Amino acid sequence: MSGSVLIAAGGTGGHISPGVALAEVLAEKISTFGFDAVYLHSLVRNKDNPDLLNPPCLVLWHNVPQLGGLRTLVYPLLFLYPFLKTILLFHKLKVKAVIGMGGYSSLPAILYAILFRKKLYLCEQNCVPGKITRIFAKFSEKIAFSFPLAEEYSITGKTIGNPIRKRVIPVTLNIRQNENLHEGKKNTVNVLVLGGSQGARQLNQMILKAMENPDIANKYKFRLLTGTSLYEETKRKSVGNAEIISYANDMKPNYEWANIVVARSGAGVLAECLVFGLPMILIPYPYAADNHQKENANYIESQGAAVTIHSTSEDPTRLVQILLGWKDHSEILREMGHTSLALSNVNAAYQTVSYFFH
């Protein structure tokens, strides 16, 4: 297949990051997969996204409007102009195949593939398929899943794993920080807290309250990645020895430092924690579309790599209970770490591209 392949990288980090991981593979081995060029297609507002600051290929920027609110009635008119620009550009670049990563911003590329009979492939990151996957599955050649779909959904595809960027992948695989944990108060357990790119006030406050327990404070060392907007607030409220960081462009050192991760349950964070063999305490974002974070967390918990807290409050009671239960039982963390690693797929990006084009 000559011509070019285009990756519609979505409007949020959860769609962008795996799209960039696929672009890395294609850019490196473009002729192997039968194309002349690879492009990323993303929203103008994502120009400052860390994954797109130094991309592996040319990024084509667009500004298709978001659907919803008062715009719904006039959306077709608002959509038409950027879509016509997309058609002309894609014709010029000889786009022959489109990989949709999900989200409304992938709509122009997907519609182009359907209308002009180009090959369409879809990637679904979550256990609950998004609207794009559900609507356009019947038009796609193949669909790659990051995790098994929740049982109420029956969409044909292959579960491969969430594509991970090269810069996040561990240099030495099979890193198991928890192998070196031993019983006793002198053996500190490192807990990495991730609230996502925008941060999560609930997680930050829950951790700070948990640290008020002296047994927790003595045994666990916390590192909070608060998100830029919540950094000052969290720093001000912190009274313990927690390490407060607003944002980290390079996540690898943080994962290598951690013994446990406390996080939301977006697909990207889950995939990255798995390749580092990390046990997780997952607190799903309760307002995520179709409650997909809940299903993601439930799947990882069902496999034995995580414990889930379903809560909308900052009450630390359950978190404290879990951490105290693990305090003198490092064998639990070791076993969860082994399970986590077994669920990972460090080669998901290459395997996804190979599945689509071989």
PDB file of all heavy atoms in Angstrom, residues 206-220:
ATOM      1  N   MET A 206      -6.769  13.323  49.847  1.00  0.00           N
ATOM      2  CA  MET A 206      -6.866  12.011  50.478  1.00  0.00           C
ATOM      3  C   MET A 206      -5.504  11.565  51.002  1.00  0.00           C
ATOM      4  O   MET A 206      -5.376  11.043  52.114  1.00  0.00           O
ATOM      5  CB  MET A 206      -7.420  10.994  49.474  1.00  0.00           C
ATOM      6  CG  MET A 206      -7.865   9.689  50.098  1.00  0.00           C
ATOM      7  SD  MET A 206      -8.489   8.497  48.860  1.00  0.00           S
ATOM      8  CE  MET A 206     -10.057   9.269  48.411  1.00  0.00           C
ATOM      9  N   ILE A 207      -4.462  11.795  50.195  1.00  0.00           N
ATOM     10  CA  ILE A 207      -3.108  11.429  50.607  1.00  0.00           C
ATOM     11  C   ILE A 207      -2.646  12.262  51.793  1.00  0.00           C
ATOM     12  O   ILE A 207      -2.098  11.737  52.775  1.00  0.00           O
ATOM     13  CB  ILE A 207      -2.128  11.596  49.430  1.00  0.00           C
ATOM     14  CG1 ILE A 207      -2.417  10.552  48.353  1.00  0.00           C
ATOM     15  CG2 ILE A 207      -0.680  11.501  49.905  1.00  0.00           C
ATOM     16  CD1 ILE A 207      -2.143   9.126  48.774  1.00  0.00           C
ATOM     17  N   LEU A 208      -2.860  13.564  51.739  1.00  0.00           N
ATOM     18  CA  LEU A 208      -2.430  14.436  52.828  1.00  0.00           C
ATOM     19  C   LEU A 208      -3.117  14.050  54.137  1.00  0.00           C
ATOM     20  O   LEU A 208      -2.491  14.070  55.210  1.00  0.00           O
ATOM     21  CB  LEU A 208      -2.726  15.895  52.490  1.00  0.00           C
ATOM     22  CG  LEU A 208      -1.944  16.482  51.305  1.00  0.00           C
ATOM     23  CD1 LEU A 208      -2.322  17.947  51.089  1.00  0.00           C
ATOM     24  CD2 LEU A 208      -0.439  16.355  51.511  1.00  0.00           C
ATOM     25  N   LYS A 209      -4.372  13.684  54.069  1.00  0.00           N
ATOM     26  CA  LYS A 209      -5.089  13.258  55.278  1.00  0.00           C
ATOM     27  C   LYS A 209      -4.585  11.903  55.766  1.00  0.00           C
ATOM     28  O   LYS A 209      -4.474  11.667  56.972  1.00  0.00           O
ATOM     29  CB  LYS A 209      -6.591  13.196  54.999  1.00  0.00           C
ATOM     30  CG  LYS A 209      -7.232  14.569  54.797  1.00  0.00           C
ATOM     31  CD  LYS A 209      -8.711  14.448  54.455  1.00  0.00           C
ATOM     32  CE  LYS A 209      -9.330  15.816  54.233  1.00  0.00           C
ATOM     33  NZ  LYS A 209     -10.769  15.720  53.856  1.00  0.00           N
ATOM     34  N   ALA A 210      -4.269  11.011  54.827  1.00  0.00           N
ATOM     35  CA  ALA A 210      -3.743   9.690  55.216  1.00  0.00           C
ATOM     36  C   ALA A 210      -2.411   9.835  55.934  1.00  0.00           C
ATOM     37  O   ALA A 210      -2.091   9.059  56.846  1.00  0.00           O
ATOM     38  CB  ALA A 210      -3.592   8.805  53.981  1.00  0.00           C
ATOM     39  N   MET A 211      -1.609  10.823  55.548  1.00  0.00           N
ATOM     40  CA  MET A 211      -0.301  11.026  56.155  1.00  0.00           C
ATOM     41  C   MET A 211      -0.385  11.458  57.613  1.00  0.00           C
ATOM     42  O   MET A 211       0.608  11.402  58.344  1.00  0.00           O
ATOM     43  CB  MET A 211       0.472  12.079  55.356  1.00  0.00           C
ATOM     44  CG  MET A 211       0.954  11.593  53.995  1.00  0.00           C
ATOM     45  SD  MET A 211       1.737  12.924  53.045  1.00  0.00           S
ATOM     46  CE  MET A 211       3.068  13.391  54.152  1.00  0.00           C
ATOM     47  N   GLU A 212      -1.574  11.881  58.048  1.00  0.00           N
ATOM     48  CA  GLU A 212      -1.742  12.254  59.450  1.00  0.00           C
ATOM     49  C   GLU A 212      -1.696  11.034  60.368  1.00  0.00           C
ATOM     50  O   GLU A 212      -1.494  11.157  61.581  1.00  0.00           O
ATOM     51  CB  GLU A 212      -3.067  12.994  59.627  1.00  0.00           C
ATOM     52  CG  GLU A 212      -3.103  14.329  58.878  1.00  0.00           C
ATOM     53  CD  GLU A 212      -4.477  14.987  58.927  1.00  0.00           C
ATOM     54  OE1 GLU A 212      -5.364  14.458  59.648  1.00  0.00           O
ATOM     55  OE2 GLU A 212      -4.667  16.020  58.252  1.00  0.00           O
ATOM     56  N   ASN A 213      -1.875   9.840  59.803  1.00  0.00           N
ATOM     57  CA  ASN A 213      -1.747   8.615  60.575  1.00  0.00           C
ATOM     58  C   ASN A 213      -0.263   8.330  60.799  1.00  0.00           C
ATOM     59  O   ASN A 213       0.492   8.188  59.845  1.00  0.00           O
ATOM     60  CB  ASN A 213      -2.406   7.457  59.812  1.00  0.00           C
ATOM     61  CG  ASN A 213      -2.368   6.153  60.573  1.00  0.00           C
ATOM     62  OD1 ASN A 213      -1.309   5.621  60.872  1.00  0.00           O
ATOM     63  ND2 ASN A 213      -3.544   5.615  60.881  1.00  0.00           N
ATOM     64  N   PRO A 214       0.199   8.243  62.053  1.00  0.00           N
ATOM     65  CA  PRO A 214       1.640   8.097  62.306  1.00  0.00           C
ATOM     66  C   PRO A 214       2.240   6.813  61.724  1.00  0.00           C
ATOM     67  O   PRO A 214       3.396   6.816  61.288  1.00  0.00           O
ATOM     68  CB  PRO A 214       1.734   8.110  63.836  1.00  0.00           C
ATOM     69  CG  PRO A 214       0.350   7.821  64.327  1.00  0.00           C
ATOM     70  CD  PRO A 214      -0.576   8.362  63.295  1.00  0.00           C
ATOM     71  N   ASP A 215       1.469   5.716  61.710  1.00  0.00           N
ATOM     72  CA  ASP A 215       1.978   4.472  61.142  1.00  0.00           C
ATOM     73  C   ASP A 215       2.188   4.604  59.633  1.00  0.00           C
ATOM     74  O   ASP A 215       3.147   4.054  59.070  1.00  0.00           O
ATOM     75  CB  ASP A 215       1.008   3.315  61.421  1.00  0.00           C
ATOM     76  CG  ASP A 215       1.017   2.903  62.881  1.00  0.00           C
ATOM     77  OD1 ASP A 215       2.075   3.058  63.530  1.00  0.00           O
ATOM     78  OD2 ASP A 215      -0.020   2.435  63.387  1.00  0.00           O
ATOM     79  N   ILE A 216       1.300   5.339  58.984  1.00  0.00           N
ATOM     80  CA  ILE A 216       1.448   5.598  57.551  1.00  0.00           C
ATOM     81  C   ILE A 216       2.665   6.480  57.308  1.00  0.00           C
ATOM     82  O   ILE A 216       3.499   6.210  56.429  1.00  0.00           O
ATOM     83  CB  ILE A 216       0.181   6.277  56.982  1.00  0.00           C
ATOM     84  CG1 ILE A 216      -1.055   5.381  57.141  1.00  0.00           C
ATOM     85  CG2 ILE A 216       0.396   6.661  55.515  1.00  0.00           C
ATOM     86  CD1 ILE A 216      -1.049   4.141  56.295  1.00  0.00           C
ATOM     87  N   ALA A 217       2.792   7.541  58.093  1.00  0.00           N
ATOM     88  CA  ALA A 217       3.893   8.486  57.923  1.00  0.00           C
ATOM     89  C   ALA A 217       5.250   7.832  58.148  1.00  0.00           C
ATOM     90  O   ALA A 217       6.242   8.189  57.495  1.00  0.00           O
ATOM     91  CB  ALA A 217       3.710   9.668  58.869  1.00  0.00           C
ATOM     92  N   ASN A 218       5.323   6.868  59.061  1.00  0.00           N
ATOM     93  CA  ASN A 218       6.588   6.205  59.360  1.00  0.00           C
ATOM     94  C   ASN A 218       6.994   5.195  58.300  1.00  0.00           C
ATOM     95  O   ASN A 218       8.186   4.967  58.072  1.00  0.00           O
ATOM     96  CB  ASN A 218       6.502   5.485  60.715  1.00  0.00           C
ATOM     97  CG  ASN A 218       6.491   6.450  61.884  1.00  0.00           C
ATOM     98  OD1 ASN A 218       6.988   7.570  61.775  1.00  0.00           O
ATOM     99  ND2 ASN A 218       5.911   6.028  62.997  1.00  0.00           N
ATOM    100  N   LYS A 219       6.027   4.582  57.674  1.00  0.00           N
ATOM    101  CA  LYS A 219       6.315   3.487  56.744  1.00  0.00           C
ATOM    102  C   LYS A 219       6.403   3.945  55.286  1.00  0.00           C
ATOM    103  O   LYS A 219       7.194   3.405  54.508  1.00  0.00           O
ATOM    104  CB  LYS A 219       5.228   2.417  56.857  1.00  0.00           C
ATOM    105  CG  LYS A 219       5.429   1.191  55.965  1.00  0.00           C
ATOM    106  CD  LYS A 219       6.660   0.401  56.368  1.00  0.00           C
ATOM    107  CE  LYS A 219       6.803  -0.860  55.534  1.00  0.00           C
ATOM    108  NZ  LYS A 219       7.984  -1.644  55.930  1.00  0.00           N
ATOM    109  N   TYR A 220       5.607   4.950  54.913  1.00  0.00           N
ATOM    110  CA  TYR A 220       5.461   5.303  53.502  1.00  0.00           C
ATOM    111  C   TYR A 220       6.026   6.684  53.201  1.00  0.00           C
ATOM    112  O   TYR A 220       5.849   7.628  53.963  1.00  0.00           O
ATOM    113  CB  TYR A 220       3.986   5.256  53.093  1.00  0.00           C
ATOM    114  CG  TYR A 220       3.390   3.869  53.170  1.00  0.00           C
ATOM    115  CD1 TYR A 220       2.679   3.458  54.290  1.00  0.00           C
ATOM    116  CD2 TYR A 220       3.542   2.960  52.125  1.00  0.00           C
ATOM    117  CE1 TYR A 220       2.125   2.177  54.376  1.00  0.00           C
ATOM    118  CE2 TYR A 220       2.995   1.684  52.194  1.00  0.00           C
ATOM    119  CZ  TYR A 220       2.296   1.299  53.320  1.00  0.00           C
ATOM    120  OH  TYR A 220       1.755   0.036  53.392  1.00  0.00           O
TER     121      TYR A 220
END
